[in-house]
Structure formats: C-alpha cells, structure tokens
Short mmCIF file of all heavy atoms in Angstrom, two decimals:
data_model
loop_
_atom_site.label_atom_id
_atom_site.label_comp_id
_atom_site.label_asym_id
_atom_site.label_seq_id
_atom_site.Cartn_x
_atom_site.Cartn_y
_atom_site.Cartn_z
N LEU A 1 0.10 -6.33 11.40
CA LEU A 1 0.98 -7.28 12.09
C LEU A 1 0.60 -8.71 11.78
O LEU A 1 0.52 -9.56 12.66
CB LEU A 1 0.93 -7.03 13.59
CG LEU A 1 1.12 -5.56 14.03
CD1 LEU A 1 1.13 -5.45 15.53
CD2 LEU A 1 2.39 -4.98 13.44
N GLY A 2 0.39 -9.02 10.53
CA GLY A 2 0.07 -10.39 10.16
C GLY A 2 -1.35 -10.73 10.47
O GLY A 2 -2.23 -10.76 9.63
N GLY A 3 -1.63 -11.03 11.78
CA GLY A 3 -2.98 -11.45 12.16
C GLY A 3 -3.93 -10.30 12.38
O GLY A 3 -5.12 -10.52 12.63
N SER A 4 -3.46 -9.03 12.31
CA SER A 4 -4.36 -7.91 12.56
C SER A 4 -4.92 -7.39 11.27
O SER A 4 -4.48 -7.72 10.18
CB SER A 4 -3.61 -6.80 13.30
OG SER A 4 -2.56 -6.31 12.51
N GLY A 5 -5.91 -6.51 11.39
CA GLY A 5 -6.49 -5.92 10.19
C GLY A 5 -7.46 -6.82 9.48
O GLY A 5 -7.67 -6.71 8.29
N ASP A 6 -8.08 -7.78 10.19
CA ASP A 6 -9.04 -8.70 9.57
C ASP A 6 -10.28 -7.91 9.15
O ASP A 6 -10.91 -7.23 9.96
CB ASP A 6 -9.41 -9.77 10.60
CG ASP A 6 -10.31 -10.82 9.99
OD1 ASP A 6 -10.32 -10.95 8.76
OD2 ASP A 6 -10.99 -11.53 10.76
N GLU A 7 -10.64 -8.04 7.90
CA GLU A 7 -11.76 -7.24 7.39
C GLU A 7 -13.07 -7.99 7.52
O GLU A 7 -13.17 -9.16 7.21
CB GLU A 7 -11.50 -6.87 5.91
CG GLU A 7 -10.26 -6.00 5.74
CD GLU A 7 -9.89 -5.85 4.29
OE1 GLU A 7 -10.78 -5.94 3.43
OE2 GLU A 7 -8.70 -5.64 4.01
N ARG A 8 -14.09 -7.29 7.96
CA ARG A 8 -15.43 -7.82 8.10
C ARG A 8 -16.40 -6.91 7.37
O ARG A 8 -16.06 -5.78 7.02
CB ARG A 8 -15.79 -7.93 9.59
CG ARG A 8 -14.84 -8.84 10.39
CD ARG A 8 -14.91 -10.27 9.91
NE ARG A 8 -13.90 -11.10 10.56
CZ ARG A 8 -14.11 -11.78 11.68
NH1 ARG A 8 -15.27 -11.71 12.30
NH2 ARG A 8 -13.16 -12.53 12.19
N PRO A 9 -17.65 -7.35 7.18
CA PRO A 9 -18.63 -6.45 6.54
C PRO A 9 -18.72 -5.13 7.26
O PRO A 9 -18.72 -5.06 8.49
CB PRO A 9 -19.93 -7.25 6.65
CG PRO A 9 -19.49 -8.68 6.73
CD PRO A 9 -18.21 -8.66 7.49
N GLU A 10 -18.82 -4.04 6.49
CA GLU A 10 -18.85 -2.71 7.06
C GLU A 10 -20.22 -2.41 7.68
O GLU A 10 -21.22 -2.93 7.28
CB GLU A 10 -18.55 -1.65 5.97
CG GLU A 10 -17.22 -1.87 5.26
CD GLU A 10 -16.04 -1.49 6.13
OE1 GLU A 10 -16.22 -1.22 7.32
OE2 GLU A 10 -14.92 -1.46 5.60
N HIS A 11 -20.20 -1.54 8.67
CA HIS A 11 -21.44 -1.08 9.30
C HIS A 11 -22.09 -0.02 8.43
O HIS A 11 -21.44 0.82 7.83
CB HIS A 11 -21.16 -0.51 10.68
CG HIS A 11 -20.71 -1.52 11.68
ND1 HIS A 11 -21.58 -2.19 12.50
CD2 HIS A 11 -19.48 -1.98 12.00
CE1 HIS A 11 -20.92 -3.02 13.29
NE2 HIS A 11 -19.65 -2.91 12.99
N ASP A 12 -23.40 -0.07 8.38
CA ASP A 12 -24.14 1.01 7.72
C ASP A 12 -24.53 2.02 8.79
O ASP A 12 -24.71 1.71 9.97
CB ASP A 12 -25.42 0.47 7.05
CG ASP A 12 -25.05 -0.46 5.89
OD1 ASP A 12 -24.05 -0.20 5.20
OD2 ASP A 12 -25.77 -1.45 5.68
N GLY A 13 -24.69 3.25 8.37
CA GLY A 13 -25.12 4.26 9.32
C GLY A 13 -24.91 5.65 8.79
O GLY A 13 -24.24 5.87 7.79
N ASP A 14 -25.50 6.62 9.49
CA ASP A 14 -25.37 8.01 9.08
C ASP A 14 -24.00 8.56 9.48
O ASP A 14 -23.32 8.02 10.37
CB ASP A 14 -26.47 8.84 9.75
CG ASP A 14 -27.85 8.40 9.28
OD1 ASP A 14 -27.95 7.92 8.14
OD2 ASP A 14 -28.80 8.53 10.07
N VAL A 15 -23.63 9.64 8.84
CA VAL A 15 -22.38 10.29 9.21
C VAL A 15 -22.55 10.96 10.57
O VAL A 15 -23.66 11.30 10.98
CB VAL A 15 -21.95 11.32 8.14
CG1 VAL A 15 -21.69 10.64 6.83
CG2 VAL A 15 -22.99 12.42 8.00
N MET A 16 -21.44 11.14 11.27
CA MET A 16 -21.46 11.75 12.60
C MET A 16 -20.57 12.99 12.55
O MET A 16 -19.74 13.15 11.64
CB MET A 16 -20.93 10.76 13.62
CG MET A 16 -19.48 10.35 13.40
SD MET A 16 -19.00 8.83 14.26
CE MET A 16 -19.75 7.58 13.15
N ASN A 17 -20.71 13.84 13.53
CA ASN A 17 -19.83 15.00 13.57
C ASN A 17 -18.50 14.62 14.19
O ASN A 17 -18.36 13.55 14.81
CB ASN A 17 -20.48 16.18 14.30
CG ASN A 17 -20.76 15.86 15.78
OD1 ASN A 17 -19.92 15.37 16.50
ND2 ASN A 17 -22.00 16.15 16.22
N ASP A 18 -17.52 15.51 14.05
CA ASP A 18 -16.16 15.19 14.50
C ASP A 18 -16.09 14.96 16.00
O ASP A 18 -15.36 14.07 16.46
CB ASP A 18 -15.21 16.33 14.11
CG ASP A 18 -14.93 16.37 12.63
OD1 ASP A 18 -15.35 15.45 11.93
OD2 ASP A 18 -14.27 17.34 12.18
N ASP A 19 -16.84 15.73 16.79
CA ASP A 19 -16.80 15.58 18.24
C ASP A 19 -17.25 14.19 18.66
O ASP A 19 -16.69 13.57 19.57
CB ASP A 19 -17.66 16.64 18.92
CG ASP A 19 -17.04 18.03 18.81
OD1 ASP A 19 -15.82 18.11 18.55
OD2 ASP A 19 -17.77 19.02 18.98
N GLU A 20 -18.30 13.68 18.01
CA GLU A 20 -18.79 12.32 18.33
C GLU A 20 -17.74 11.27 18.00
O GLU A 20 -17.50 10.34 18.76
CB GLU A 20 -20.09 12.06 17.56
CG GLU A 20 -21.27 12.90 18.02
CD GLU A 20 -22.48 12.71 17.13
OE1 GLU A 20 -22.31 12.45 15.93
OE2 GLU A 20 -23.61 12.83 17.65
N ALA A 21 -17.12 11.43 16.84
CA ALA A 21 -16.09 10.46 16.45
C ALA A 21 -14.89 10.49 17.39
O ALA A 21 -14.38 9.45 17.80
CB ALA A 21 -15.65 10.74 15.02
N ILE A 22 -14.47 11.68 17.74
CA ILE A 22 -13.32 11.84 18.65
C ILE A 22 -13.61 11.21 20.00
O ILE A 22 -12.77 10.50 20.57
CB ILE A 22 -12.94 13.33 18.80
CG1 ILE A 22 -12.35 13.86 17.49
CG2 ILE A 22 -11.98 13.53 19.95
CD1 ILE A 22 -12.15 15.35 17.47
N GLU A 23 -14.82 11.45 20.53
CA GLU A 23 -15.17 10.89 21.85
C GLU A 23 -15.24 9.36 21.78
O GLU A 23 -14.78 8.67 22.70
CB GLU A 23 -16.48 11.46 22.32
CG GLU A 23 -16.84 10.98 23.73
CD GLU A 23 -17.99 11.76 24.35
OE1 GLU A 23 -18.41 12.77 23.75
OE2 GLU A 23 -18.45 11.37 25.43
N ALA A 24 -15.80 8.80 20.69
CA ALA A 24 -15.88 7.36 20.57
C ALA A 24 -14.47 6.74 20.50
O ALA A 24 -14.20 5.70 21.12
CB ALA A 24 -16.70 6.98 19.33
N ILE A 25 -13.58 7.37 19.73
CA ILE A 25 -12.22 6.85 19.61
C ILE A 25 -11.47 6.94 20.93
O ILE A 25 -10.82 5.98 21.36
CB ILE A 25 -11.47 7.64 18.51
CG1 ILE A 25 -12.03 7.28 17.13
CG2 ILE A 25 -9.96 7.36 18.56
CD1 ILE A 25 -11.51 8.18 16.02
N ALA A 26 -11.58 8.08 21.62
CA ALA A 26 -10.86 8.27 22.89
C ALA A 26 -11.33 7.28 23.95
O ALA A 26 -10.52 6.68 24.68
CB ALA A 26 -11.02 9.70 23.36
N THR A 27 -12.65 7.12 24.06
CA THR A 27 -13.19 6.19 25.06
C THR A 27 -12.77 4.75 24.76
O THR A 27 -12.40 4.00 25.65
CB THR A 27 -14.73 6.28 25.09
OG1 THR A 27 -15.11 7.64 25.36
CG2 THR A 27 -15.31 5.38 26.16
N SER A 28 -12.80 4.38 23.48
CA SER A 28 -12.40 3.03 23.09
C SER A 28 -10.91 2.81 23.38
O SER A 28 -10.52 1.70 23.80
CB SER A 28 -12.69 2.80 21.61
OG SER A 28 -14.06 2.96 21.34
N SER A 29 -10.08 3.82 23.16
CA SER A 29 -8.65 3.68 23.43
C SER A 29 -8.40 3.37 24.90
O SER A 29 -7.54 2.54 25.25
CB SER A 29 -7.89 4.96 23.03
OG SER A 29 -7.88 5.10 21.63
N VAL A 30 -9.14 4.05 25.78
CA VAL A 30 -9.00 3.79 27.20
C VAL A 30 -9.37 2.35 27.52
O VAL A 30 -8.68 1.65 28.29
CB VAL A 30 -9.86 4.78 28.01
CG1 VAL A 30 -9.87 4.39 29.49
CG2 VAL A 30 -9.33 6.19 27.86
N MET A 31 -10.47 1.89 26.96
CA MET A 31 -10.91 0.49 27.19
C MET A 31 -9.90 -0.50 26.69
O MET A 31 -9.76 -1.61 27.23
CB MET A 31 -12.26 0.27 26.52
CG MET A 31 -13.39 1.07 27.09
SD MET A 31 -14.95 0.69 26.21
CE MET A 31 -16.05 1.84 27.04
N LEU A 32 -9.16 -0.16 25.64
CA LEU A 32 -8.19 -1.07 25.05
C LEU A 32 -6.81 -0.96 25.67
O LEU A 32 -5.88 -1.65 25.27
CB LEU A 32 -8.09 -0.81 23.54
CG LEU A 32 -9.36 -1.07 22.74
CD1 LEU A 32 -9.27 -0.46 21.36
CD2 LEU A 32 -9.63 -2.56 22.64
N GLY A 33 -6.63 -0.07 26.62
CA GLY A 33 -5.35 0.10 27.30
C GLY A 33 -4.30 0.79 26.43
O GLY A 33 -3.10 0.58 26.58
N ILE A 34 -4.75 1.66 25.49
CA ILE A 34 -3.83 2.37 24.62
C ILE A 34 -3.50 3.70 25.26
O ILE A 34 -4.37 4.55 25.45
CB ILE A 34 -4.45 2.59 23.21
CG1 ILE A 34 -4.80 1.25 22.58
CG2 ILE A 34 -3.51 3.36 22.32
CD1 ILE A 34 -5.58 1.36 21.29
N ALA A 35 -2.22 3.89 25.61
CA ALA A 35 -1.82 5.09 26.35
C ALA A 35 -1.38 6.23 25.45
O ALA A 35 -1.31 7.37 25.88
CB ALA A 35 -0.70 4.74 27.33
N SER A 36 -1.06 5.94 24.20
CA SER A 36 -0.50 6.95 23.32
C SER A 36 -1.57 7.88 22.76
O SER A 36 -2.55 7.42 22.15
CB SER A 36 0.26 6.29 22.16
OG SER A 36 0.66 7.25 21.20
N ALA A 37 -1.38 9.17 22.94
CA ALA A 37 -2.31 10.16 22.34
C ALA A 37 -2.19 10.19 20.83
O ALA A 37 -3.14 10.56 20.14
CB ALA A 37 -2.05 11.55 22.94
N ARG A 38 -1.00 9.82 20.34
CA ARG A 38 -0.84 9.76 18.87
C ARG A 38 -1.84 8.80 18.23
O ARG A 38 -2.33 9.05 17.15
CB ARG A 38 0.59 9.30 18.52
CG ARG A 38 1.65 10.37 18.64
CD ARG A 38 2.91 9.89 17.92
NE ARG A 38 4.00 10.82 18.09
CZ ARG A 38 4.97 10.69 18.97
NH1 ARG A 38 4.96 9.65 19.79
NH2 ARG A 38 5.96 11.57 19.04
N ALA A 39 -2.11 7.69 18.93
CA ALA A 39 -3.02 6.68 18.36
C ALA A 39 -4.40 7.28 18.14
O ALA A 39 -5.04 7.06 17.09
CB ALA A 39 -3.09 5.47 19.29
N ASP A 40 -4.91 8.05 19.10
CA ASP A 40 -6.21 8.68 18.95
C ASP A 40 -6.21 9.63 17.76
O ASP A 40 -7.17 9.67 16.97
CB ASP A 40 -6.58 9.46 20.22
CG ASP A 40 -6.84 8.54 21.40
OD1 ASP A 40 -6.63 7.33 21.25
OD2 ASP A 40 -7.27 9.02 22.46
N LEU A 41 -5.16 10.44 17.66
CA LEU A 41 -5.08 11.40 16.56
C LEU A 41 -5.01 10.70 15.22
O LEU A 41 -5.71 11.07 14.27
CB LEU A 41 -3.87 12.31 16.76
CG LEU A 41 -3.63 13.38 15.67
CD1 LEU A 41 -4.82 14.32 15.56
CD2 LEU A 41 -2.34 14.15 15.97
N PHE A 42 -4.17 9.65 15.15
CA PHE A 42 -4.06 8.89 13.89
C PHE A 42 -5.39 8.23 13.52
O PHE A 42 -5.77 8.21 12.35
CB PHE A 42 -2.98 7.82 14.01
CG PHE A 42 -1.57 8.33 13.87
CD1 PHE A 42 -0.53 7.79 14.62
CD2 PHE A 42 -1.26 9.32 12.97
CE1 PHE A 42 0.76 8.24 14.49
CE2 PHE A 42 0.05 9.79 12.82
CZ PHE A 42 1.06 9.24 13.59
N ALA A 43 -6.10 7.70 14.52
CA ALA A 43 -7.37 7.02 14.25
C ALA A 43 -8.38 8.04 13.70
O ALA A 43 -9.14 7.72 12.75
CB ALA A 43 -7.90 6.36 15.51
N PHE A 44 -8.46 9.21 14.30
CA PHE A 44 -9.38 10.22 13.80
C PHE A 44 -9.02 10.64 12.38
O PHE A 44 -9.90 10.75 11.50
CB PHE A 44 -9.40 11.43 14.72
CG PHE A 44 -10.20 12.59 14.20
CD1 PHE A 44 -11.58 12.51 14.14
CD2 PHE A 44 -9.57 13.74 13.72
CE1 PHE A 44 -12.34 13.56 13.63
CE2 PHE A 44 -10.31 14.80 13.22
CZ PHE A 44 -11.70 14.70 13.16
N ARG A 45 -7.73 10.89 12.14
CA ARG A 45 -7.32 11.28 10.79
C ARG A 45 -7.63 10.18 9.78
O ARG A 45 -8.05 10.45 8.65
CB ARG A 45 -5.83 11.58 10.77
CG ARG A 45 -5.45 12.88 11.49
CD ARG A 45 -3.94 13.07 11.50
NE ARG A 45 -3.53 14.33 12.08
CZ ARG A 45 -2.28 14.70 12.29
NH1 ARG A 45 -1.29 13.87 11.94
NH2 ARG A 45 -1.99 15.87 12.80
N ALA A 46 -7.41 8.92 10.17
CA ALA A 46 -7.66 7.80 9.26
C ALA A 46 -9.13 7.69 8.94
O ALA A 46 -9.51 7.45 7.78
CB ALA A 46 -7.14 6.50 9.88
N ALA A 47 -10.00 7.85 9.97
CA ALA A 47 -11.44 7.77 9.73
C ALA A 47 -11.90 8.87 8.80
O ALA A 47 -12.67 8.65 7.86
CB ALA A 47 -12.17 7.82 11.06
N ARG A 48 -11.42 10.10 9.04
CA ARG A 48 -11.85 11.21 8.20
C ARG A 48 -11.34 11.04 6.77
O ARG A 48 -12.10 11.28 5.81
CB ARG A 48 -11.31 12.53 8.80
CG ARG A 48 -11.54 13.73 7.90
CD ARG A 48 -11.36 15.04 8.64
NE ARG A 48 -12.55 15.38 9.41
CZ ARG A 48 -13.67 15.85 8.87
NH1 ARG A 48 -13.76 16.02 7.56
NH2 ARG A 48 -14.70 16.16 9.61
#
C-alpha cells in the first residue's frame, strides 16, 4: 500500500517448527487487531 512493506535488515536465527510459527503469527495478529483468519493462514504460507 505504498508506505507499507518497508524492508529492514533480516533477523538471524535458527529455524522453528510450524507450531511455533503459527502461534507467533496468531498472537501477533490479535495484538494488531487483525480479525481475519485468512491473514494468519496467508502469513504462515508466505513464511514457509
């Protein structure tokens, strides 16, 4: 959306299992006020 998607240096770190990634995405969505379950699914698919 124009101003979104600003790229910054990537984080280093070990790979995580799917359950950890799903829980991090779902919890963050709640904090961000995102109500759509599609967003969580898309985010997980995009990360994988």
